[in-house]
Amino acid sequence: MAWQEFIKGKKSKPDVQEFSLNLFDNILELHNDLADKSYRHGGYKSFYINDPKRRHIHKASVRDRLLHHAVYRILYPFFERTFIADSFSCRLDKGTHKALNRFRGFAFVESKNHTRTCWALKIDIKKFFANIDHEILLRILDEYIKDKEVIWLLEQIIRGYSSMPAKSVGLPLGNLTSQLFANIYLNPFDQWVKHNLKVKYYLRYADDMIFLSADKQFLINILPEIKNFLQDSLKLNVHPDKIIIKTIASGVDFLGWGHFPDHRILRKSTRRRMFSRIKISPNDQTSQSYLGLLCHGETYKLQAELKNQYWLWS
């Protein structure tokens, strides 16, 4: 099952084709290495993408990525039950669209149908994936998983990469397991926000966090506590240039959209990136993908412009 899931959309890749030529032998070798604990995670090929900012991606071998899928299939259903409802990144039946609608619903309720001022505190974490501490992550995993054989395997995967050679920190962008580990790593923070800070209107997408309240002073007061918890418990730092406290009425930027009381508009940088990609790759799949994105805001004119540009460039 893990192999069938893994090869979706990858059958034409040279490394996948090479591995599949001796699929049974390769899988048997992996099984034996795991059984006698001789397995060690291999290295990574690195490259950069711009989406929209420059990101350093690390790609594991087919053998290791197959193992990632197998591990993910076992761990995800278990940990999914431990996450708060309002964490939306890399989860089934969640995603950006549901996060956007949840944000709109929170703002509607807390502003009493926009009859009173609603404030938003928005933060994100500085170099989140690069600073995930291996020891802390393994300690969190150990609290939930009592099988030491499983912990041993997860440790091989986690310690197979470090963003800084001198330190045991960092998870590689692109790994399927990294997405799950990231949610597991921030789950203690999510639980603390809900149960200790008692923040009713809080949601998170990856390391983008937003808190809503009609009481501005409450948001100001909890900010130092948030910083302290992240630093003391998870060795993470809030990005000092990305702390925003403003009213919904003035427009809050979240997940590529500018949110206002009665509408949302596409962020200018998102708009530029969209048209740039359509120009580079003017195909129906790309066009339909962006039209699906645009239907979540007040974008009638933008949709018409996109269609016109698509027909011009295709």
Side-chain angles (χ1 to χ4, degrees):
M1 283 295 294
W3 173 252
Q4 295 303 321
E5 291 177 2
F6 170 73
I7 62 173
K8 288 179 181 178
K10 305 184 184 74
K11 291 181 180 179
S12 62
K13 302 293 184 181
D15 55 348
V16 175
Q17 291 180 342
E18 182 181 353
F19 189 88
S20 64
L21 287 175
N22 298 292
L23 181 62
F24 180 80
D25 290 340
N26 287 330
I27 290 178
L28 181 61
E29 181 184 18
L30 176 59
H31 169 79
N32 290 336
D33 287 351
L34 292 171
D36 64 18
K37 289 190 175 182
S38 63
Y39 169 80
R40 295 295 181 271
H41 198 285
Y44 288 86
K45 292 182 179 179
S46 69
F47 56 95
Y48 290 89
I49 62 170
N50 296 296
D51 186 33
K53 63 183 180 182
R54 188 171 174 83
R55 297 182 186 276
H56 195 185
I57 305 297
H58 289 81
K59 181 181 177 182
S61 68
V62 172
R63 166 185 159 101
D64 290 327
R65 283 184 284 149
L66 174 58
L67 180 62
H68 297 167
H69 273 259
V71 168
Y72 182 89
R73 289 182 70 249
I74 300 299
L75 291 188
Y76 178 83
F78 172 78
F79 279 101
E80 168 66 17
R81 298 192 296 269
T82 73
F83 299 148
I84 66 169
D86 295 315
S87 161
F88 288 88
S89 176
C90 302
R91 295 177 64 188
L92 298 177
D93 298 320
K94 296 286 185 178
T96 54
H97 295 159
K98 290 195 175 180
L100 293 172
N101 290 334
R102 186 65 163 167
F103 175 86
R104 173 177 280 178
F106 278 174
F108 183 85
V109 173
E110 183 63 359
S111 67
K112 295 188 181 296
N113 192 12
H114 305 300
T115 60
R116 69 175 181 179
T117 301
C118 179
W119 293 86
L121 164 63
K122 183 175 177 291
I123 64 174
D124 75 6
I125 295 168
K126 188 174 182 180
K127 296 182 178 179
F128 171 51
F129 275 89
N131 287 299
I132 291 177
D133 186 276
H134 293 178
E135 298 298 337
I136 294 174
L137 175 58
L138 286 166
R139 187 168 69 242
I140 295 171
L141 290 166
D142 193 57
E143 291 175 3
Y144 289 95
I145 300 172
K146 302 308 175 187
D147 189 326
K148 298 306 177 184
E149 303 294 312
V150 175
I151 292 295
W152 171 84
L153 175 56
L154 298 181
E155 185 171 2
Q156 304 311 307
I157 295 173
I158 292 166
R159 295 198 189 282
Y161 172 84
S162 179
S163 59
M164 290 178 277
K167 295 183 179 180
S168 296
V169 297
L171 294 178
L173 289 173
N175 271 13
L176 183 61
T177 49
S178 294
Q179 300 168 7
L180 176 59
F181 289 152
N183 276 333
I184 293 171
Y185 198 80
L186 284 176
N187 191 40
F189 174 76
D190 294 338
Q191 301 294 341
W192 175 77
V193 167
K194 300 299 290 185
H195 300 296
N196 293 75
L197 286 186
K198 308 289 186 183
V199 179
K200 190 173 183 180
Y201 302 113
Y202 159 75
L203 58 86
R204 177 176 65 80
Y205 190 95
D207 62 325
D208 285 340
M209 305 167 184
I210 198 154
F211 308 74
L212 300 179
S213 177
D215 185 350
K216 180 182 180 181
Q217 193 58 48
F218 170 74
L219 297 178
I220 293 172
N221 290 343
I222 66 172
L223 182 55
E225 296 183 63
I226 291 169
K227 290 180 178 179
N228 289 339
F229 183 94
L230 289 169
Q231 175 60 52
D232 296 343
S233 299
L234 301 175
K235 294 186 179 179
L236 297 173
N237 293 305
V238 173
H239 199 301
D241 300 328
K242 296 183 179 180
I243 300 170
I244 297 169
I245 300 180
K246 61 189 305 188
T247 65
I248 301 295
S250 64
V252 175
D253 193 337
F254 184 57
L255 297 182
W257 293 84
H259 299 261
F260 295 86
D262 57 354
H263 68 287
R264 65 169 75 110
I265 60 174
L266 198 65
R267 184 195 295 163
K268 289 182 179 179
S269 60
T270 307
R271 181 185 184 280
R272 287 194 300 269
R273 186 166 72 255
M274 177 180 68
F275 280 103
S276 175
R277 287 185 176 175
I278 288 290
K279 187 174 182 178
I280 294 170
S281 180
N283 57 65
D284 190 60
Q285 183 178 358
T286 304
S287 175
Q288 292 303 317
S289 175
Y290 278 119
L291 287 172
L293 166 69
L294 293 177
C295 74
H296 292 273
E298 285 61 41
T299 59
Y300 177 79
K301 291 183 178 179
L302 196 55
Q303 290 182 54
E305 184 181 353
L306 176 65
K307 292 174 183 177
N308 289 337
Q309 294 297 334
Y310 167 67
W311 289 115
L312 177 64
W313 289 323
S314 62

